[in-house]
């Protein structure tokens, strides 16, 4: 937690808004997507999806992979508690929705379904797109799958498996958007990144959750943004976003959201 606090102070010192951005592509992304104040009607569905989880007091046994949880002491947890403390926040879910909507990402991959809050945002963001989402915990995945059915989100294909095993079985050649929210360990994160470089194209983007969760995650983020295939990178503090556009001059942005 001390690492996060230090990184946040550094982030506040160095971050900017759209006025510090000179790349036309990133400028448009920030102004037309990140800072878009439109109250999309789908936000109501996202809110309802969240509320049903907040009202679900079923106790499930969660199988933690990677770095585990800083909040829960036991693997037996209420669905409502997971949704309130471990799921993607309302603000970030809306941002994921806007990104999928603005970029019209047709093929999407998510590592770490959890209860499907982020998955639902991506699903609604581009209803014509398809999402492959991978979750390691059987009981958590079952709750998410039921939610997808209840909210008629038909463009989601949920896989219950170890991330690495499932990545190696991917049938889709290239993804427009890859959202990585799981494990939170340096070596695993870098392994996913390097493997998934085989599944990107010029206009793909990867979003990494909790890049300042720990010192080693910040180190992983540094290696990712320095990679030769990465051109533009954005540090939003809680997310790291990378692009692979060959026409883009390599540049790193630190953006306040």
């Amino acid at each position: 937690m001390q690492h996060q606090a230090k990184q946040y102070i550094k982030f506040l010192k160095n971050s900017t808004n759209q006025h510090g951005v000179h790349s036309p592509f990133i400028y448009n992304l920030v102004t037309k997507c990140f800072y878009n104040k439109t109250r999309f009607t789908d936000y109501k569905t996202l809110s309802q999806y969240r509320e049903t989880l907040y009202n679900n007091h079923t106790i499930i046994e969660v199988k933690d992979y990677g770095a585990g949880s800083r909040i829960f002491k036991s693997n037996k947890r209420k669905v409502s508690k997971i949704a309130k403390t471990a799921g993607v926040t309302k603000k970030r879910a809306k941002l994921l929705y806007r990104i999928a909507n603005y970029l019209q990402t047709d093929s999407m991959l998510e590592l770490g379904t959890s209860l499907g809050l982020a998955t639902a945002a991506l699903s609604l963001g581009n209803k014509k797109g398809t999402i492959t989402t991978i979750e390691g915990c059987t009981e958590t995945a079952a709750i998410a799958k039921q939610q997808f059915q209840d909210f008629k989100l038909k463009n989601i294909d949920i896989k219950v498996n170890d991330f690495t095993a499932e990545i190696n079985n991917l049938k889709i050649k290239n993804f427009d958007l890859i959202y990585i929210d799981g494990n939170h360990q340096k070596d695993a994160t870098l392994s996913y990144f390097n493997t998934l470089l085989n599944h990107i194209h010029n206009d793909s983007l990867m979003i990494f959750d909790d890049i300042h969760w720990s010192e080693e995650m910040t180190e992983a983020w540094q290696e990712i943004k320095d990679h030769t295939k990465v051109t533009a990178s954005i540090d939003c503090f809680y997310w790291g976003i990378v692009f692979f556009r060959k026409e883009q001059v390599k540049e790193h942005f630190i953006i306040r959201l």
Side-chain angles (χ1 to χ4, degrees):
M1 296 299 283
Q2 190 176 10
H3 172 76
Q4 279 185 319
K6 284 181 180 177
Q7 288 298 314
Y8 190 61
I9 291 168
K10 192 187 293 186
F11 172 82
L12 291 177
K13 283 182 181 177
N14 298 320
S15 60
T16 185
N17 54 22
Q18 74 271 26
H19 300 299
V21 175
H22 304 295
S23 159
F25 172 76
I26 300 297
Y27 179 85
N28 286 331
L29 180 71
V30 172
T31 56
K32 296 178 181 179
C33 175
F34 289 4
Y35 293 166
N36 189 338
K37 302 298 183 187
T38 303
R39 293 184 178 181
F40 294 96
T41 54
D42 287 322
Y43 284 176
K44 186 176 180 181
T45 306
L46 287 179
S47 180
Q48 290 170 341
Y49 187 108
R50 186 177 295 274
E51 283 302 313
T52 58
L53 291 171
Y54 283 3
N55 292 321
N56 185 341
H57 302 300
T58 305
I59 295 174
I60 63 173
E61 187 162 354
V62 175
K63 188 173 183 180
D64 268 328
Y65 292 86
S69 173
R70 286 177 174 165
I71 297 166
F72 297 102
K73 303 302 179 190
S74 166
N75 284 345
K76 291 189 176 179
R77 305 165 191 173
K78 277 189 179 181
V79 169
S80 55
K81 184 78 171 175
I82 298 170
K84 288 174 183 176
T85 58
V88 70
T89 64
K90 292 177 186 179
K91 181 180 177 180
R92 295 181 212 179
K94 288 178 180 178
L95 180 53
L96 271 179
Y97 171 91
R98 293 197 300 275
I99 290 171
N101 185 264
Y102 175 74
L103 295 174
Q104 283 297 289
T105 47
D106 290 326
S107 55
M108 296 171 270
L109 172 68
E110 177 185 38
L111 302 189
T113 317
S114 187
L115 298 173
L117 286 160
T119 328
L122 293 170
S123 167
L124 292 166
N126 184 10
K127 299 178 183 71
K128 293 179 180 178
T130 58
I131 305 163
T132 302
T133 183
I134 307 170
E135 174 55 48
C137 174
T138 306
E139 293 195 29
T140 310
I143 298 292
K145 195 169 186 178
Q146 187 60 55
Q147 287 281 114
F148 300 154
Q149 290 174 359
D150 292 347
F151 282 85
K152 297 179 172 58
L153 304 177
K154 297 179 180 178
N155 57 348
I156 302 169
D157 181 16
I158 184 168
K159 309 281 190 185
V160 185
N161 204 348
D162 171 78
F163 290 172
T164 302
E166 199 59 48
I167 288 170
N168 291 330
N169 293 330
L170 287 171
K171 299 292 188 289
I172 297 173
K173 185 179 179 183
N174 290 328
F175 291 96
D176 300 327
L177 182 153
I178 298 173
Y179 176 57
I180 299 175
D181 179 17
N183 199 302
H184 297 113
Q185 292 185 100
K186 179 182 177 180
D187 290 347
T189 300
L190 291 173
S191 175
Y192 304 148
F193 169 70
N194 287 310
T195 304
L196 289 169
L197 286 175
N198 297 317
H199 293 275
I200 61 161
H201 54 77
N202 190 67
D203 297 322
S204 300
L205 73 151
M206 286 190 195
I207 304 172
F208 295 86
D209 188 63
D210 281 337
I211 55 170
H212 298 298
W213 195 81
S214 66
E215 192 171 343
E216 69 166 26
M217 278 301 291
T218 300
E219 289 171 359
W221 168 240
Q222 185 66 45
E223 286 192 35
I224 289 165
K225 68 179 185 171
D226 287 345
H227 194 279
T228 52
K229 284 194 176 181
V230 171
T231 52
S233 56
I234 303 174
D235 183 339
C236 306
F237 186 70
Y238 49 81
W239 280 351
I241 306 173
V242 294
F243 297 88
F244 307 90
R245 296 159 52 84
K246 290 175 184 173
E247 65 272 31
Q248 180 93 28
V249 175
K250 191 171 182 78
E251 197 170 356
H252 178 60
F253 304 91
I254 303 174
I255 304 291
R256 288 192 302 270
L257 298 180

